[in-house]
Amino acid sequence: MREPSDEDLMARVASGDAGAFRVLSARHAPRAVALARRYLSSDADAEDVAQEALLRVWRAAPSWQPTARFTTWFYRIVVNLCLNQKRRAEPAPLDDVPEPVDPTPDAEARWEEAQERDRIADAVSRLPDRQRAALLLTYWEGLSNSAVADALGTTVGSVETLLVRARKALRDRLQPREGGK
């Protein structure tokens, strides 16, 4: 027998079926946390956003209308919560903490990879909110431009423009630095 669709589960959740909600949560919570973590750069904030998004799904289930795919609606909730979190949170400066010593032979290579990942994450985090949301939903979550447009409440053309601008900004920020770095 096939697994129930998200929309079928939402219909059951609307009638108070906690088991259907657990299935829906298990299906979508990990990706919600991952999206929020990439967006907010904080494990704790990402967990909070995902929990709040699922709570909103539970509360909204009785009035939910399947005008769009569940995932589109759910990602819109997650992105909006991330935007709200970014507006509320004051960025806290982090002290420079040295990397722990790694005794394995290729520690330097892993350190360089981590530096590059951090450099990319920093460049993504500096994008304007809507560009960052469009980029993360498209490339990390694999949504189509149409689904991203629905999640962001905009048009496909606007999503394409956001992606072009985001890619250009990333190219400009990530070009090799002078002096070989």
Side-chain angles (χ1 to χ4, degrees):
M1 196 155 85
R2 73 173 180 86
E3 293 223 0
S5 70
D6 294 335
E7 290 72 20
D8 293 339
L9 290 170
M10 275 302 288
R12 290 173 41 199
V13 171
S15 65
D17 184 342
F21 181 71
R22 280 191 294 278
V23 170
L24 202 59
S25 296
R27 190 179 286 176
H28 295 288
R31 294 189 76 183
V33 170
L35 171 62
R37 183 179 297 120
R38 286 184 194 105
Y39 196 92
L40 299 171
S41 302
S42 165
D43 290 341
D45 289 344
E47 293 284 341
D48 290 346
V49 163
Q51 286 180 0
E52 178 64 25
L54 290 168
L55 181 61
R56 289 186 184 197
V57 166
W58 176 259
R59 287 181 181 158
S63 62
W64 182 71
Q65 297 295 316
T67 56
R69 289 180 44 212
F70 170 81
T71 52
T72 301
W73 176 68
F74 182 63
Y75 282 131
R76 185 174 197 160
I77 292 170
V78 173
V79 167
N80 286 339
L81 288 169
C82 287
L83 290 170
N84 291 342
Q85 180 71 19
K86 286 296 264 189
R87 287 184 197 116
R88 276 194 309 260
E90 285 292 319
L94 298 176
D95 294 335
D96 290 336
V97 178
E99 290 288 327
V101 177
D102 188 352
T104 59
D106 59 340
E108 184 176 342
R110 282 190 275 160
W111 181 80
E112 288 173 359
E113 289 173 11
Q115 293 293 90
E116 186 64 14
R117 278 193 308 274
D118 289 348
R119 189 169 160 247
I120 292 168
D122 181 60
V124 170
S125 74
R126 292 175 186 261
L127 291 172
D129 287 338
R130 293 185 56 81
Q131 287 180 22
R132 183 171 55 244
L135 187 84
L136 291 173
L137 289 170
T138 300
Y139 295 108
W140 272 274
E141 296 305 320
L143 297 182
S144 68
N145 286 358
S146 176
V148 173
D150 288 344
L152 296 179
T154 190
T155 64
V156 172
S158 293
V159 168
E160 291 170 353
T161 300
L162 289 168
L163 290 171
V164 166
R165 290 178 180 166
R167 286 189 299 257
K168 182 185 181 320
L170 289 175
R171 258 192 317 275
D172 291 347
R173 286 188 181 121
L174 297 173
Q175 284 181 348
R177 298 177 188 153
E178 293 295 322
K181 290 193 174 196

